[in-house]
Amino acid sequence: MSEQQHADSEVIIETRNVSRIYPGVTALDNVNYRVYRNKVNVLIGENGAGKSTMMKMLAGVETPSSGEILLDGKPVTLGSTQQAEKHGISIIFQELNLFPNMNVMDNIFIGKEFFQRGVINEKYQYELGKSLLERLNLDVDPYAPLNELGIGHQQMVEIARSLSKDTRVLLMDEPTSALSQSEVKVLFNVIEQLKRRGVTIIYISHRLEELMEIGDHITIFRDGRFIGERPVRDASVPWIIEQMVGDKKKHFDYQPAPQGEQVLEVKGLTALAQNGGYKLNDVSFSLRKGEVIGIYGLLGAGRTELFKGLIGLMGCQSGSVVLNGEDLSKRDFSTRLKKGIALVPEDRQGEGVVQMMSIKTNMTLTDLSLRGFRRCLSLLNPAKEDEGVTDMVKKLAIKVSDAELPITSLSGGNQQKVVLGKALMSGPEVVLLDEPTRGIDVGAKTDVYHLVGQMAKQGLAVMFSSSELDEVMALADRVLVMADGRITADLARADATREKIISASTPQA
């Protein structure tokens, strides 16, 4: 076998001059991309680089505008997810593709049910579902309603569904974005098992340390084009960043903003869980104008619940939320929004955007409800609306050719920026950012960091949660650590060491 034949035999999927063009946007531009057999093929690039578009084409969700896709050296047509699955290609999407009104078991086997004499064999599916969940160290009853699980656990259910199929190539688009560190380790063990069973992995993530740990081969896209590839063992983080951002290198330097008077005071905030425990347990803290507080905690620590309790999306049985001296504890979400509290939710697709609407409409939705773009009670001011959207697109560096395009035409990271813009357009005094950099690349993360710094300098009070410890330590003036619904540590920046934060984040028996 010649060297060329040997190289070809190592390639399971290849794209030749593949392009994908949407109205006003070239998502992929004549891309030649190779996927290596029985390897973890890392695909990386900034938001809008074309990674997710490539995944969608390989999974049969989208079709190329031009070019061809080869599987085992032969051209194939992947016109639907069913066709892709017949060829052994499955995908785990960045945004959850589940049915919240169904139970865990039905989500795992939907479309691939096991029938016995024309009836679904529930007993068999239950046992198989349970074993798949156990492989992922997920202690969840297959009959449990999906909507009772947190985002991280739902992500593991998505992974279990992929494991239930006869998969040769598994596409994983940001699979760890909602997982805790312990769950990430479980997933990495599963990936190693899949490789030993002959499964090829295509893995997208913006967490560079993950890629270096789990990857075998790395490919980099930029602005819809193929930039380069090499074995991970021959790659370095500086090389990856240089290839990703080109001459658009970005850097963030922490600079504290002047802090003003106290704007938010929370005392004894408590919310009960259905199982008799606590979602929030006697949470108390204060926040000043110009201050940036970072909240760190493991999955289920109560970070998201705290934000929902503060803005009125979750009921609390006791405690107070006082904004500028006014007690809002008994006030609803819309009132708290009008008074100056804004939230960027963790679940971008489920709670952040309306997928049937345009980019502009999504961005101005909150401000329209607050009459910010109205001439009078019933008439809009289109010129003012367009001006506000244009300014926000520029301020947040959103990659978009036309704000009238559907929100779904944007990459995940740019959709997140739209959600950020929507929050800022409400004119808040307190901004709550729940995992604001989830699914965002290294360049766009720096944009968000600068934005947080700018908000603080403008006198806004900012709270953000993150599962990335380095992010919390780099950005926050003060760190609140949560575990089991409680604040277990309140640390000034100078006192916030890795050891203290990690120790405080570990639930105590």
Side-chain angles (χ1 to χ4, degrees):
M1 182 182 293
S2 68
E3 287 188 17
Q4 182 61 47
Q5 289 174 321
H6 178 68
D8 290 343
S9 70
E10 290 185 341
V11 175
I12 187 170
I13 293 178
E14 183 178 4
T15 70
R16 293 181 179 173
N17 299 317
V18 161
S19 295
R20 185 65 174 98
I21 300 173
Y22 299 99
V25 178
T26 299
L28 290 172
D29 186 6
N30 288 306
V31 173
N32 296 311
Y33 170 52
R34 293 183 291 184
V35 179
Y36 293 88
R37 196 183 308 273
N38 300 343
K39 304 289 186 184
V40 175
N41 296 266
V42 169
L43 180 57
I44 191 170
E46 290 191 278
N47 288 109
K51 308 180 302 297
S52 293
T53 302
M54 177 61 76
M55 295 301 95
K56 288 176 181 178
M57 288 197 296
L58 296 182
V61 177
E62 303 275 5
T63 55
S65 301
S66 61
E68 61 179 354
I69 298 172
L70 283 70
L71 178 64
D72 293 323
K74 299 176 182 178
V76 292
T77 299
L78 304 174
S80 67
T81 54
Q82 289 79 12
Q83 280 186 321
E85 287 179 0
K86 285 181 180 178
H87 288 289
I89 303 173
S90 297
I91 185 168
I92 299 171
F93 289 101
Q94 178 180 353
E95 306 299 343
L96 297 178
N97 192 29
L98 299 170
F99 298 88
N101 60 328
M102 298 168 63
N103 65 35
V104 169
M105 182 182 74
D106 290 341
N107 268 282
I108 292 174
F109 296 109
I110 189 165
K112 294 285 183 181
E113 294 85 354
F114 291 88
F115 287 89
Q116 185 178 40
R117 297 173 183 173
V119 179
I120 294 176
N121 189 336
E122 281 207 17
K123 183 178 179 181
Y124 177 76
Q125 286 191 175
Y126 181 90
E127 293 301 326
L128 180 56
K130 191 173 182 179
S131 68
L132 290 170
L133 296 171
E134 287 174 351
R135 281 179 62 187
L136 297 170
N137 285 1
L138 189 59
D139 184 19
V140 170
D141 191 317
Y143 282 137
L146 185 82
N147 58 14
E148 291 185 0
L149 304 184
I151 293 294
H153 286 167
Q154 289 186 31
Q155 182 75 285
M156 300 299 271
V157 172
E158 182 97 71
I159 294 168
R161 181 166 68 180
S162 292
L163 296 180
S164 71
K165 302 172 184 176
D166 185 18
T167 299
R168 296 176 60 206
V169 180
L170 180 58
L171 318 178
M172 310 182 82
D173 193 354
E174 292 284 353
T176 64
S177 60
L179 302 185
S180 66
Q181 291 180 346
S182 60
E183 288 171 327
V184 170
K185 291 180 181 179
V186 171
L187 176 61
F188 284 2
N189 288 333
V190 171
I191 288 174
E192 289 297 330
Q193 293 173 23
L194 292 173
K195 279 173 57 180
R196 288 195 290 270
R197 287 168 44 192
V199 176
T200 299
I201 310 289
I202 302 177
Y203 191 98
I204 293 178
S205 176
H206 294 304
R207 298 177 176 179
L208 298 184
E209 69 280 1
E210 277 185 15
L211 305 182
M212 302 302 287
E213 178 179 350
I214 197 65
D216 297 309
H217 202 88
I218 187 166
T219 302
I220 298 172
F221 285 4
R222 185 171 73 231
D223 297 330
R225 296 183 177 90
F226 169 88
I227 296 300
E229 65 170 43
R230 63 175 51 177
V232 169
R233 65 176 180 274
D234 297 330
S236 65
V237 170
W239 177 82
I240 292 171
I241 295 175
E242 181 180 356
Q243 299 303 307
M244 282 177 59
V245 303
D247 58 2
K248 301 179 292 182
K249 294 180 182 178
K250 299 173 181 178
H251 182 67
F252 173 75
D253 286 320
Y254 167 80
Q255 294 181 347
Q259 293 184 18
E261 60 189 19
Q262 180 175 287
V263 63
L264 182 70
E265 184 178 22
V266 179
K267 289 185 177 180
L269 202 62
T270 300
L272 301 177
Q274 291 182 344
N275 62 6
Y278 291 94
K279 293 180 180 179
L280 296 175
N281 187 355
D282 195 26
V283 172
S284 300
F285 66 92
S286 62
L287 180 63
R288 309 178 73 85
K289 291 183 178 181
E291 186 177 22
V292 177
I293 288 183
I295 303 179
Y296 182 79
L298 304 178
L299 191 68
R303 296 173 300 164
T304 295
E305 289 79 4
L306 174 56
F307 283 170
K308 288 187 174 181
L310 293 177
I311 202 168
L313 289 174
M314 183 187 76
C316 295
Q317 282 67 49
S318 61
S320 62
V321 177
V322 178
L323 180 70
N324 290 323
E326 182 179 358
D327 192 343
L328 302 179
S329 306
K330 305 300 181 183
R331 310 303 291 271
D332 61 12
F333 165 76
S334 61
T335 301
R336 298 190 197 198
L337 184 65
K338 291 175 183 177
K339 292 292 184 180
I341 303 178
L343 169 66
V344 174
E346 176 188 16
D347 185 1
R348 177 171 61 239
Q349 291 295 318
E351 301 175 352
V353 303
V354 181
Q355 297 189 33
M356 300 299 292
M357 290 183 174
S358 68
I359 297 162
K360 181 176 80 172
T361 305
N362 266 283
M363 191 177 288
T364 60
L365 201 56
T366 298
D367 208 39
L368 287 175
S369 68
L370 300 178
R371 304 180 187 175
F373 290 127
R374 297 189 183 188
R375 287 175 175 160
C376 58
L377 186 61
S378 59
L379 295 178
L380 298 179
N381 187 332
K384 187 176 180 182
E385 185 181 6
D386 289 341
E387 181 183 353
V389 171
T390 300
D391 288 346
M392 193 59 67
V393 166
K394 186 180 298 184
K395 183 177 183 179
L396 300 184
I398 301 173
K399 295 180 180 178
V400 57
S401 60
D402 185 354
E404 298 289 353
L405 290 171
I407 186 73
T408 51
S409 67
L410 296 182
S411 66
N414 282 300
Q415 288 185 34
Q416 180 75 327
K417 289 183 179 182
V418 171
V419 181
L420 279 164
K422 179 174 67 173
L424 292 176
M425 279 188 163
S426 68
E429 292 191 58
V430 175
V431 182
L432 311 175
L433 308 173
D434 195 358
E435 291 280 6
T437 63
R438 183 171 76 88
I440 289 182
D441 64 73
V442 64
K445 279 186 178 183
T446 308
D447 289 338
V448 173
Y449 297 163
H450 283 296
L451 176 62
V452 170
Q454 291 168 12
M455 288 190 290
K457 288 178 181 177
Q458 292 167 8
L460 299 183
V462 182
M463 292 185 68
F464 74 96
S465 75
S466 178
S467 54
E468 296 186 35
L469 180 54
D470 290 339
E471 183 169 274
V472 172
M473 295 180 68
L475 194 56
D477 300 318
R478 197 164 117 229
V479 178
L480 300 182
V481 186
M482 295 192 70
D484 292 332
R486 297 181 297 111
I487 292 179
T488 54
D490 185 341
L491 304 169
R493 181 182 178 87
D495 300 326
T497 64
R498 298 180 68 89
E499 292 76 13
K500 287 181 180 179
I501 294 174
I502 292 173
S503 176
S505 68
T506 305
Q508 302 298 313

